[in-house]
Amino acid sequence: MKNENIILLREFIESQGIMCESHLRETTLLERDLRITGNDAVEFILAFGKKFNVDVSKFRLDEYFEAEGVLGPFFPFFYKYINSPSKKRLTIKTLLDAMESHVLNPDCMM
């Protein structure tokens, strides 16, 4: 089921206008690798919940995504040279798990 879900998730990500790596992995980070931040993150998570019937009501966006434009041109530097960013990291695996459990609440999945 995970292989099928990763294909569906990749199609969804691309339908949101987000460029995917050539090979989407479970370790791919939404903010660092796919550069989803701010208002785009809000729209992405809401659309993800709707598309895959996932409850996102308890998901704390502010704990995972920077506000729109906060990092600006320093975005690549921030993730390349600073080891512990202030935000938690959200991975493709977390979204895949949410597709199966129908709840996006990473703190409960750990």
Side-chain angles (χ1 to χ4, degrees):
M1 183 81 148
K2 280 229 177 174
N3 286 339
E4 181 180 314
N5 281 349
I6 202 159
I7 292 168
L8 292 172
L9 184 56
R10 180 187 183 85
E11 290 170 355
F12 169 74
I13 290 168
E14 290 174 349
S15 77
Q16 297 296 302
I18 299 164
M19 298 289 291
C20 286
E21 302 172 353
S22 59
H23 181 67
L24 195 65
R25 295 178 282 284
E26 288 188 351
T27 57
T28 300
L29 296 167
L30 271 66
E31 191 169 41
R32 183 192 73 192
D33 300 326
L34 301 180
R35 299 201 177 180
I36 301 172
T37 61
N39 294 339
D40 293 338
V42 174
E43 293 170 10
F44 179 87
I45 294 298
L46 291 175
F48 170 79
K50 185 175 182 179
K51 171 79 175 176
F52 297 108
N53 192 30
V54 172
D55 178 4
V56 297
S57 63
K58 292 183 175 39
F59 182 72
R60 299 284 315 261
L61 278 159
D62 61 320
E63 292 180 2
Y64 293 87
F65 297 99
E66 291 292 344
E68 195 81 22
V70 167
L71 297 177
F74 301 106
F75 193 94
F77 173 83
F78 182 77
Y79 280 101
K80 186 173 182 180
Y81 297 108
I82 298 176
N83 290 329
S84 57
S86 61
K87 300 295 181 182
K88 296 177 182 177
R89 295 178 176 205
L90 187 64
T91 64
I92 291 297
K93 181 180 183 333
T94 305
L95 296 183
L96 292 171
D97 291 344
M99 289 169 71
E100 291 183 9
S101 69
H102 297 284
V103 176
L104 179 59
N105 193 353
D107 294 331
C108 293
M109 294 178 185
M110 294 177 179

